[in-house]
C-alpha cells in the first residue's frame, strides 16, 4: 500500500473522502509510518556501509627559509595525497609514490623546495633542504575527526575500525575518562566514536577519538539505521512529499498497523475518542507482536525458560 491508499481507506471507514480530510490523513499516515519504522530494528531499516575516513585536513608550514613556502595547505579532497596552499600562489604539498616521500613544491622557487626525510607515507613533520633551498620549516597538522555518513542514514548503530568495534561515547564521558582525547593534536588508534547528529545539510556525522595519524584514508565499517523510506527510497518526512505518499511502503508487512493508527486519527478528528482509543490499543498490540517476531528471527543466543514444570519436580528433571 501507499500512504495515499492508506489515507483514502481510512477516510472511507469514517465516511469522509473530501480533499481536506484526505490531506490530513496523508499527513497522519506519514507520521504513523515513521512511528512504526522507528519502533523496532526491522531488517529493512538496517544497512551497513564503509567510509573512507581522512583524518588530516590541513598542514601548516612555518619557519621556512623560503618564506613563500610558509602557510596553510589544505587537502584538495577526501582521500587525496595533495594539499594546496590556501594563499592562492600555486604552491602545494604532494606525496611522490615513486620516490617515497612528501615534497613541498614552491612555484616561486621553480622546483621542490623541501622534501621529507622519511620515506613513510604517514610522515610529514621532518623536512630537509632540497636543491639549494633555504633552511627547512616545521609543520603542524590540523586534524579533522569528522566522518560524514550517507544521505539516508538516521543514526549509526555500530562502528568498527579494522576488526575492532569502537565504543559509542558522548562528550561528557570522553572528558571524564580521558579529556586529552579532545586535543586537536592527539593521535592514535581510534577507540571511540561520538554521534554528532546532523550537519547544516541534514546529513548524519560521527567524530572519531583519537584521530588517526595518517595523511591517507582509513576504512570505517558502520552499521546504520536508515531514515524512514519508501520502496523507491523517498524519505517520508513531515509534511510528506508527493513522491513519498505515492510510493509503496518499504515495510509492506506493517501496512495494516499504519492503517489502524491512521483510522484512529480520523476518529479523533471526528471527536470519537473512545473508538479511537480501542483502535490504537489493538494496533499497539499487533505492533508489539510483530516486533517480537522480527527480533526472534535475527541471529543471537537463545534461552528457553519453562513457565511450568508440569507434574515433574525439579529433582526429577535434573
Amino acid at each position: 500500500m501507499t500512504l495515499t491508499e492508506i489515507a483514502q481507506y481510512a477516510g472511507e471507514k469514517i465516511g469522509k473522502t473530501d480533499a481536506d480530510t484526505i490531506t490530513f490523513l496523508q499527513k497522519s499516515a506519514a507520521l504513523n509510518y515513521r512511528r512504526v519504522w522507528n519502533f523496532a530494528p526491522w531488517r529493512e531499516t538496517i544497512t551497513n556501509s564503509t567510509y573512507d575516513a581522512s583524518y588530516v585536513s590541513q598542514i601548516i608550514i612555518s619557519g621556512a627559509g623560503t618564506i613563500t613556502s610558509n602557510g596553510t595547505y589544505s587537502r584538495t579532497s577526501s582521500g587525496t595525497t595533495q594539499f594546496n596552499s590556501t594563499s592562492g600562489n600555486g604552491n602545494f604539498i604532494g606525496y611522490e609514490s615513486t620516490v617515497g616521500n612528501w615534497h613541498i613544491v614552491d612555484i616561486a622557487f621553480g622546483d621542490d623546495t623541501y622534501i621529507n626525510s622519511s620515506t613513510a607515507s604517514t610522515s610529514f613533520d621532518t623536512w630537509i633542504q632540497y636543491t639549494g633551498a633555504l633552511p627547512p620549516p616545521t609543520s603542524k597538522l590540523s586534524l579533522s575527526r569528522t566522518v560524514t555518513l550517507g544521505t539516508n542514514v538516521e543514526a549509526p548503530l555500530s562502528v568498527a575500525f579494522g576488526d575492532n568495534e569502537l565504543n559509542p561515547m558522548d562528550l561528557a564521558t570522553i572528558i571524564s575518562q580521558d579529556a586529552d582525547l579532545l586535543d586537536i593534536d592527539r593521535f592514535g588508534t581510534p577507540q571511540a566514536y561520538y554521534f554528532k547528529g546532523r550537519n547544516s545539510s541534514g546529513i548524519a556525522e560521527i567524530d572519531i577519538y583519537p584521530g588517526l595519524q595518517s595523511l591517507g584514508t582509513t576504512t570505517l565499517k558502520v552499521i546504520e539505521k536508515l531514515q524512514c523510506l519508501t520502496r523507491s527510497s523517498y524519505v517520508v518526512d513531515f509534511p510528506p512529499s508527493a513522491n513519498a505518499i505515492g510510493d509503496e511502503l518499504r515495510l509492506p508487512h506493517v501496512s495494516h498497523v499504519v492503517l489502524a493508527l491512521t483510522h484512529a486519527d480520523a476518529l479523533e478528528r471526528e471527536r470519537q475518542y473512545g473508538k479511537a482509543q480501542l483502535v490504537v490499543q489493538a494496533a499497539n498490540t499487533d505492533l508489539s507482536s510483530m516486533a517480537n517476531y522480527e527480533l526472534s528471527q535475527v541471529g543471537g543466543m537463545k534461552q528457553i525458560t519453562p513457565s511450568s514444570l508440569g507434574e515433574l519436580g525439579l529433582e526429577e528433571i535434573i
Side-chain angles (χ1 to χ4, degrees):
M1 297 182 73
T2 67
L3 294 176
T4 294
E5 291 170 343
I6 289 174
Q8 181 71 29
Y9 188 43
E12 291 173 357
K13 294 188 76 170
I14 63 168
K16 287 191 174 182
T17 57
D18 58 277
D20 288 343
T21 299
I22 296 301
T23 298
F24 167 79
L25 293 177
Q26 285 172 340
K27 295 177 181 179
S28 168
L31 288 176
N32 289 320
Y33 180 48
R34 288 170 60 88
R35 176 197 168 191
V36 172
W37 179 280
N38 292 320
F39 185 82
W42 315 105
R43 63 196 66 201
E44 296 92 339
T45 70
I46 307 298
T47 188
N48 67 88
S49 303
T50 58
Y51 297 94
D52 287 333
S54 299
Y55 291 89
V56 177
S57 60
Q58 292 181 334
I59 302 176
I60 303 171
I61 300 296
S62 60
T66 306
I67 59 175
T68 51
S69 297
N70 293 324
T72 300
Y73 294 75
S74 292
R75 188 191 292 271
T76 55
S77 62
S78 176
T80 60
T81 54
Q82 181 166 318
F83 295 74
N84 291 340
S85 173
T86 59
S87 63
N89 56 17
N91 296 348
F92 66 90
I93 299 175
Y95 183 73
E96 296 286 348
S97 58
T98 56
V99 181
N101 52 19
W102 290 87
H103 291 227
I104 300 177
V105 178
D106 192 315
I107 300 301
F109 188 75
D111 202 347
D112 296 350
T113 51
Y114 304 98
I115 63 173
N116 203 279
S117 60
S118 172
T119 58
S121 62
T122 57
S123 181
F124 43 81
D125 54 357
T126 305
W127 302 98
I128 61 175
Q129 300 177 32
Y130 185 78
T131 317
L134 295 172
T138 58
S139 59
K140 180 181 180 181
L141 293 181
S142 178
L143 181 66
S144 176
R145 299 188 180 92
T146 301
V147 178
T148 302
L149 305 181
T151 55
N152 286 336
V153 174
E154 180 72 25
L157 301 180
S158 182
V159 179
F161 172 76
D163 295 329
N164 299 316
E165 183 177 6
L166 302 185
N167 296 320
M169 289 188 179
D170 56 25
L171 294 181
T173 303
I174 292 175
I175 289 177
S176 65
Q177 294 188 0
D178 187 359
D180 187 51
L181 285 173
L182 297 176
D183 290 348
I184 199 66
D185 56 353
R186 170 72 179 270
F187 298 105
T189 301
Q191 302 170 354
Y193 75 93
Y194 166 62
F195 176 42
K196 298 176 62 177
R198 303 188 177 280
N199 60 22
S200 58
S201 299
I203 301 177
E205 293 181 331
I206 60 174
D207 276 353
I208 306 299
Y209 294 92
L212 187 69
Q213 185 169 344
S214 172
L215 291 175
T217 59
T218 301
T219 299
L220 292 179
K221 305 166 188 174
V222 184
I223 306 299
E224 305 159 328
K225 173 79 172 182
L226 293 171
Q227 294 186 60
C228 186
L229 301 173
T230 64
R231 184 174 297 174
S232 300
S233 296
Y234 294 115
V235 176
V236 179
D237 214 331
F238 187 86
S241 67
N243 288 331
I245 63 176
D247 193 25
E248 293 287 331
L249 304 185
R250 184 169 289 199
L251 300 178
H253 54 285
V254 302
S255 297
H256 67 289
V257 177
V258 178
L259 172 60
L261 294 172
T262 305
H263 178 212
D265 285 342
L267 290 171
E268 286 188 348
R269 194 168 189 253
E270 296 299 306
R271 305 296 190 267
Q272 300 183 41
Y273 299 111
K275 291 182 179 179
Q277 184 176 11
L278 293 176
V279 172
V280 169
Q281 289 175 351
N284 287 339
T285 300
D286 285 347
L287 185 57
S288 296
S289 298
M290 293 173 64
N292 290 334
Y293 179 78
E294 178 79 10
L295 293 175
S296 71
Q297 301 305 302
V298 300
M301 298 296 294
K302 306 299 182 183
Q303 181 177 359
I304 300 177
T305 304
S307 58
S308 173
L309 300 178
E311 297 179 357
L312 299 177
L314 183 60
E315 295 81 2
E316 295 173 287
I317 293 177
I318 297 176

